Amino acid sequence: LLYAVLFIWAFIQIFPIYWLITFSLKSNSEIFGGNALGLPREWLWINYEKALVNGKVALYFMNSIIVTGSTIIITVIVSLMATYALNRMVFRTKSQMNSFYMLGLTVPIHSALLPVFIMLRNFKMVNSYAALIIPYVAFGISMAVLIFSGFMESIPKELEEAACIDGCSVYGIFFRIIVPLMKPAMATVSIFTFLQAWNELMFAVVFISDTKYKTLTVGIQSLAGQYTIDWGAIGAGLVVATIPTLIVYIFMANKVQDSLVTGAIKG
């Protein structure tokens, strides 16, 4: 009975992927002609050519990689350094700074859409990679600090004290001891940041109008024509956008589980 339930649950989870792949290989007439769920009668691989070349999905894909990759790197570095300072160092405004970071969790990202747009326009940063990277990093730091803090509390301070006795500096302790031990938590933050930046649409629509800087979410939306829509090409673009998410989670899922378990244990 347990395996039957698990099989049904696995089927429910996998079926949308199957449907999306078959959807991307069909024509409009076949999609709306009663064969929406079955295998394609004619495998139209040309839909991927339409999406990648004619629809410029390849360009949008590279833009998404640049924006998402930069967001992950900056968020992980800044958040990890901030977490180390908040958890291991002693300074006068420590509690205020910690509250400031946690306050970011209470602010919905899209509630700041208008003021962020006005700031970017004043700095002439609209229609650039920075127009997306900076807001994504700003709204991702609070969650990253929260995750890193829970994990860092499980790291014994005796390791750092021993390194300090051996003559290691603060930077040496951070890069040689803390960073290697924080790799599982870094994987968790990377996945969460990846999903948030890769799938974000509202900021990308408002801040980017130049085709040169459009990301996948905006680019796939623009594949819909004014009078006709090639659903097969849109499905192909969605497959291209989905594959990186699956690959990232497959290779980093174990580290995410390890970080969540380890971060919940103290002592």
Side-chain angles (χ1 to χ4, degrees), residues 10-152:
F11 175 80
I12 294 174
Q13 297 297 318
I14 295 174
F15 180 78
I17 300 176
Y18 156 79
W19 178 81
L20 179 61
I21 294 174
T22 56
F23 180 90
S24 68
L25 297 170
K26 297 176 182 178
S27 62
N28 284 0
S29 59
E30 188 172 357
I31 292 173
F32 297 103
N35 188 33
L37 300 179
L39 292 174
R41 299 188 184 97
E42 182 182 358
W43 298 71
L44 300 179
W45 295 101
I46 194 173
N47 287 339
Y48 285 87
E49 180 181 351
K50 292 179 181 177
L52 293 172
V53 180
N54 300 339
K56 299 182 180 180
V57 170
L59 172 63
Y60 304 147
F61 183 82
M62 290 304 302
N63 290 338
S64 290
I65 289 180
I66 293 173
V67 171
T68 304
S70 302
T71 301
I72 292 173
I73 293 173
I74 297 174
T75 300
V76 169
I77 293 175
V78 173
S79 302
L80 190 56
M81 296 174 70
T83 303
Y84 181 73
L86 292 173
N87 283 267
R88 291 296 197 260
M89 296 182 179
V90 178
F91 51 95
R92 181 175 298 177
T93 59
K94 179 177 179 179
S95 59
Q96 289 82 356
M97 289 298 298
N98 191 33
S99 300
F100 175 76
Y101 279 108
M102 293 302 102
L103 184 63
L105 296 173
T106 65
V107 180
I109 181 173
H110 296 118
S111 66
L113 181 64
L114 180 59
V116 171
F117 174 76
I118 294 174
M119 291 172 61
L120 293 174
R121 185 185 61 184
N122 292 338
F123 284 103
K124 302 184 185 301
M125 296 176 64
V126 178
N127 284 322
S128 66
Y129 293 129
L132 296 179
I133 295 173
I134 294 175
Y136 291 169
V137 171
F139 283 96
I141 287 178
S142 295
M143 177 60 70
V145 169
L146 180 64
I147 295 174
F148 283 146
S149 296
F151 190 90
M152 191 171 293

Side-chain angles (χ1 to χ4, degrees), residues 17 21 194-195 239 241-252:
I17 300 176
I21 294 174
F194 171 84
L195 293 175
V239 170
T242 304
I243 289 176
T245 304
L246 297 176
I247 293 176
V248 167
Y249 188 78
I250 288 173
F251 284 99
M252 303 183 73

Side-chain angles (χ1 to χ4, degrees), residues 183-197:
K183 286 183 179 179
M186 293 167 64
T188 304
V189 171
S190 297
I191 288 182
F192 289 159
T193 306
F194 171 84
L195 293 175
Q196 183 270 328

